[in-house]
Amino acid sequence: MGIRNIDAAEILVLKEQIEYQSGQVVSKTLVQNDRMSITLFSFDRGEEISTHESGGDAFVLCLDGTGEITIDGNRYELHEGESIVMPAKHPHAVFGKEQFKMLLIVVL
């Protein structure tokens, strides 16, 4: 599988491609194959993805708001335009300190 949920050859504002929903974490897959995944996420304030590990390195780009990324027990606050790498096989979590949108790219 390849690109989905977006049109090719079209200029996009990524943070406009996903909406906030009250009390929820929302995801929208843009690319999924055996080597990588690219997913948009929106977190309502106070919502989270609990601690887990990934088989691939994960690059997070904050598109809107403020999020908290925890990697190996260390907390990092991410603001619009900032990014961080969550290394493969290291425990990590994501928390919406306020409403928060991010782009997640996982390379397997």
Side-chain angles (χ1 to χ4, degrees), residues 13-39:
V13 177
L14 287 175
K15 69 182 180 181
E16 294 175 359
Q17 301 305 306
I18 193 164
E19 299 297 323
Y20 292 112
Q21 291 187 22
S22 180
Q24 294 187 30
V25 175
V26 179
S27 66
K28 182 178 184 180
T29 300
L30 304 181
V31 174
Q32 183 74 50
N33 61 44
D34 60 349
R35 293 174 296 176
M36 76 172 349
S37 68
I38 302 175
T39 309

Side-chain angles (χ1 to χ4, degrees), residues 7-89:
D7 295 324
E10 182 177 311
I11 295 172
L12 303 171
V13 177
L14 287 175
K15 69 182 180 181
E16 294 175 359
Q17 301 305 306
I18 193 164
E19 299 297 323
Y20 292 112
Q21 291 187 22
S22 180
Q24 294 187 30
V25 175
V26 179
S27 66
K28 182 178 184 180
T29 300
L30 304 181
V31 174
Q32 183 74 50
N33 61 44
D34 60 349
R35 293 174 296 176
M36 76 172 349
S37 68
I38 302 175
T39 309
L40 291 172
F41 284 89
S42 69
F43 293 75
D44 197 16
R45 182 180 184 173
E47 295 300 316
E48 67 181 325
I49 296 174
S50 61
T51 303
H52 63 284
E53 293 182 13
S54 172
D57 292 320
F59 175 82
V60 174
L61 172 63
C62 178
L63 301 173
D64 188 48
T66 303
E68 183 178 270
I69 309 295
T70 302
I71 304 169
D72 290 327
N74 298 310
R75 292 186 173 137
Y76 304 90
E77 192 169 285
L78 217 56
H79 302 94
E80 186 174 340
E82 296 178 334
S83 59
I84 193 166
V85 172
M86 301 182 297
K89 300 185 180 13

